[in-house]
Structure formats: C-alpha cells, structure tokens
Amino acid sequence: MAITVISQQAGTLRQRVELEGFEALYVDAPRIVGGEESAPDPHDYFDLSLGACKAITAQMYAQRKGWALSGVTAVVSRDERDERRGIYRLEVALTFHGVNDAEREARLTEISDRCPIHRLMTSATVEITTRQG
C-alpha cells in the first residue's frame, strides 16, 4: 500500500495524505516552525500509532481469551526535550474498561508492549530510501 502526501497550497506547510480506501488525512506543522497547526503534526501521528496499536493488541488478546473488555483508553505523553540528542520518550497510560482484575490488567499491559508498533519503535532497524519520483 502506498501513502501519498501532497502539499496543499504554496506558502503553507499543510499536507493532504491519501491512503487507498480511506478518507484523506491532513498533516500540518507547529506554528513555531511556520505551520498553522490546522492538523496533527508528524510527531502526533507517530505517537498516536503507538497508542492505537497497544489498544488494538490488548483488545485482540482479550477477545482470544474470552475476557470481558469493553474498551481501552490509551493516553500517550511525549517528552521530546532530548530529541536532538537522539532520545525521544513516550509514556503510555492504559485504562482497561470493564476489567476488574489486577492480574488481567497487568497481563493486558504486558501484551500491549508486544504490539507491532512498540516493537518497531524499540527493536527494529528501519531503513529509509528517499528518491525523486
């Protein structure tokens, strides 16, 4: 699947993102770097992918186990102050709705750390090739 990013208008940093089969998404940059903050910035999408993947992974596990889980809330907090030194910190607080068992909550938290995005962010080597289209 290809993701297409198209600049919206000269003089702005807003981008339209097209993914086959989905409505368009938008990305903008923070005002501090010249954006208008009209949409989430690239860091937001990076961070939210982790929260969403952890929630989905926990839900899938609970379904397989037949555990009552009515929903998951994932709150992702970013600490980017050392990003220029190569350290980008994310904290994810998970709330499991409908679960009243501390052991199950602990297991769901442990399982969420095995989600594909968590593993990609923490243990994979990502190789990027940039070329002219």
Side-chain angles (χ1 to χ4, degrees), residues 13-121:
L13 300 177
R14 185 177 169 93
Q15 310 294 311
R16 176 185 167 96
V17 180
E18 297 176 355
L19 290 91
E20 187 176 320
F22 297 96
E23 286 190 38
L25 302 171
Y26 294 90
V27 182
D28 201 350
R31 290 189 199 290
I32 195 164
V33 296
E36 297 175 355
E37 295 183 4
S38 65
D41 73 24
H43 282 87
D44 296 330
Y45 283 104
F46 182 83
D47 301 353
L48 75 80
S49 70
L50 178 63
C53 190
K54 284 179 170 290
I56 290 167
T57 299
Q59 287 177 297
M60 290 170 56
Y61 185 82
Q63 286 174 353
R64 274 197 310 273
K65 291 291 191 177
W67 293 354
L69 176 62
S70 59
V72 179
T73 300
V75 178
V76 182
S77 301
R78 165 192 323 150
D79 178 351
E80 60 198 6
R81 65 182 156 203
D82 293 325
E83 182 179 358
R84 289 179 189 235
R85 293 188 7 230
I87 302 169
Y88 188 79
R89 294 177 185 90
L90 295 173
E91 178 182 80
V92 183
L94 296 172
T95 303
F96 302 108
H97 305 284
V99 177
N100 295 319
D101 181 304
E103 287 183 24
R104 285 188 179 180
E105 288 180 337
R107 182 66 177 150
L108 290 169
T109 300
E110 179 185 333
I111 291 298
S112 79
D113 285 346
R114 297 181 189 169
C115 83
I117 298 299
H118 184 120
R119 291 190 316 217
L120 181 66
M121 289 178 170

